[in-house]
Amino acid sequence: MMKQTINEGKNLAVISYLTFVGLIIAIIMNLEKRNTFTSFHIRQMLGLVIMVLVSNMIEKYLNSWLGTLCWFASAAGWLYAFYHVIIGQQKPIPFIGEYFQEWFRNVR
């Protein structure tokens, strides 16, 4: 990926990792620019938000310990992804990041 594309999309990509509201803002602002770096990180964060929601459901309705474990996995994924957006890399979250890219490929 070109350095210029990364530099142009980095701010929105960082914003996408700042809460659910930041994700919505990044999606809306990226609609007109269509930066591939930003789109990649939007899809990663969208997957992480869904992981957190699922972990909360698991914690409430199935098993508190399992839900907490899933929440920590989500938090670790967020830290991993946020680190890589800060340094300007497009690396998927281990184990599940490629699935996020596939499942949310229509989110640009």
Side-chain angles (χ1 to χ4, degrees), residues 12-94:
L12 276 181
V14 169
I15 289 171
S16 73
Y17 286 105
L18 303 177
T19 72
F20 182 70
V21 174
L23 176 63
I24 299 301
I25 291 169
I27 289 171
I28 292 169
M29 292 183 73
N30 196 45
L31 284 176
E32 62 184 59
K33 293 181 183 179
R34 303 280 183 178
N35 185 286
T36 56
F37 182 75
T38 303
S39 296
F40 174 85
H41 286 286
I42 285 172
R43 289 188 293 268
Q44 293 293 293
M45 183 57 181
L46 184 58
L48 286 169
V49 166
I50 291 171
M51 278 180 62
V52 167
L53 292 174
V54 168
S55 71
N56 288 340
M57 299 282 282
I58 290 171
E59 186 172 15
K60 184 171 183 172
Y61 296 111
L62 293 178
N63 184 319
S64 178
W65 288 102
L66 182 60
T68 302
L69 183 65
C70 291
W71 187 90
F72 277 115
S74 301
W78 183 87
L79 288 171
Y80 179 88
F82 192 72
Y83 169 76
H84 285 287
V85 76
I86 294 295
I87 63 173
Q89 290 184 344
Q90 191 171 317
K91 283 193 171 182
I93 299 164

Side-chain angles (χ1 to χ4, degrees), residues 86-104:
I86 294 295
I87 63 173
Q89 290 184 344
Q90 191 171 317
K91 283 193 171 182
I93 299 164
F95 308 112
I96 194 140
E98 289 295 330
Y99 292 109
F100 292 161
Q101 294 302 310
E102 182 183 328
W103 295 335
F104 309 123

